[in-house]
Amino acid sequence: MTFAATVLTLYPEMFPGPLGISLAGRGLAEGRWSLDTVQIRDFATDKHRTVDDTPAGGGAGMVLKPDILAAACDSVGYDRPMLAMTPRGAPLTQQRVRELAAGPGVSILCGRFEGFDERLFEARAIEPVSIGDYVLSGGEMGALVLLDACIRLLPGVMGAPSSGDDESFESGLLEYPQYTRPVIWEGRTIPEVLRSGDHARIAAWRKSMAETDTRLRRPDLWERHEGARVQSPSGARQKKDE
Ligand code: SAH
């Protein structure tokens, strides 16, 4: 099955862009995923092809018009999840990426200027998604990020099928630190355990490093990870027996 991506944008020339090279590009050429773009401006109805207007209530910038956006989205349809890029959306997670990658594909609406008329989200089944707590000038970079994260999970796109399993966020933790040759570089040695050949020790070291680094670098992730452990059925039983 081909993962079908449709991007609704004022700048279709930005696609596939960086997704046309390396693993994603090869996957596209091999038909493991497909890409369509929809020019939002094609759904403008006046002779100036207007897609935006001034914000109700005043303020800087321009807002994308709901009638034009809805017509563009309706032309694609809602068989696949329709996402809209906005800093007001739910932060994108590896879990959501995995769900999307397992499905038939995704449509992504890209904003520009001050973003979308809010009524669009009341009138259509469109999921607002953010790629992080910072502001981009347009949704296209966000769409590229989201698609890249999905595409690398598609069957046949990454070399070894298991190479994603240990990765950061897959277990709710950051990945353990990685090393490669030379064994000594600028006087620094690869940790001895990784050169021991003792697979059980290596696995234990990696688990412990993943936990320590997550706790120190991402207390937010660590808290969620620990919370999930305490709330799991086995955790609850343990508590009662104590
Ligand atoms: N005025 C808006 C920001 C508009 S930025 C606000 O403060 O919420 C212009 C467009 O860039 C947005 O419509 C959105 O499509 C995109 N964008 C900006 N930051 C983003 C983010 N963190 N995640 C996803 N899309 C983003």
Side-chain angles (χ1 to χ4, degrees):
M1 191 182 65
T2 297
F3 179 88
T6 301
V7 181
L8 301 90
T9 170
L10 289 167
Y11 300 98
E13 62 274 27
M14 288 178 74
F15 296 87
L19 298 179
I21 64 164
S22 190
L23 294 180
R26 198 195 311 152
L28 184 59
E30 289 172 357
R32 298 188 194 279
W33 68 288
S34 68
L35 177 69
D36 274 321
T37 55
V38 170
Q39 169 56 272
I40 295 169
R41 203 172 291 283
D42 289 347
F43 295 84
T45 49
D46 65 332
K47 72 168 194 285
H48 302 294
R49 306 229 294 158
T50 307
V51 294
D52 55 353
D53 207 336
T54 54
M62 299 293 274
V63 177
L64 291 166
K65 291 158 65 63
D67 48 344
I68 311 297
L69 293 170
C73 293
D74 293 350
S75 81
V76 174
Y78 304 89
D79 295 346
R80 290 168 280 147
M82 172 80 68
L83 276 46
M85 285 292 147
T86 164
R88 287 164 47 82
L92 185 64
T93 60
Q94 186 65 18
Q95 187 189 327
R96 187 71 187 111
V97 165
R98 221 184 298 120
E99 287 165 8
L100 290 169
V106 66
S107 306
I108 308 176
L109 178 61
C110 300
R112 280 273 157 177
F113 323 123
E114 291 309 314
F116 311 109
D117 184 304
E118 189 65 19
R119 290 170 294 179
L120 180 70
F121 298 100
E122 299 160 14
R124 296 293 186 279
I126 299 176
E127 176 184 335
V129 172
S130 165
I131 64 155
D133 293 341
Y134 40 79
V135 180
L136 306 171
S137 56
E140 289 78 9
M141 300 278 194
L144 291 169
V145 166
L146 187 148
L147 289 175
D148 182 79
C150 290
I151 290 160
R152 63 189 288 285
L153 298 181
L154 300 176
V157 170
M158 284 211 309
S162 70
S163 68
D165 290 356
D166 273 357
E167 231 136 23
S168 293
F169 313 116
E170 288 293 349
S171 60
L173 298 173
L174 302 179
E175 193 186 54
Y176 45 80
Q178 299 272 18
Y179 301 85
T180 189
R181 281 177 286 275
V183 171
I184 302 174
W185 174 72
E186 295 195 351
R188 293 154 208 278
T189 312
I190 294 177
E192 182 278 327
V193 55
L194 298 179
R195 292 175 286 129
S196 68
D198 181 338
H199 296 297
R201 257 184 82 212
I202 291 172
W205 182 86
R206 285 180 164 168
K207 179 166 184 284
S208 142
M209 290 303 284
E211 289 174 354
T212 306
D213 286 351
T214 305
R215 189 159 45 77
L216 296 177
R217 296 175 181 203
R218 291 294 303 275
D220 57 323
L221 280 185
W222 180 247
E223 210 167 293
R224 216 176 309 151
H225 179 74
E226 285 298 279
R229 248 182 17 179
V230 169
Q231 271 159 34
S232 74
S234 61
R237 242 196 328 275
Q238 263 171 17
K239 271 247 160 72
K240 223 171 63 190
D241 293 345
E242 272 165 13

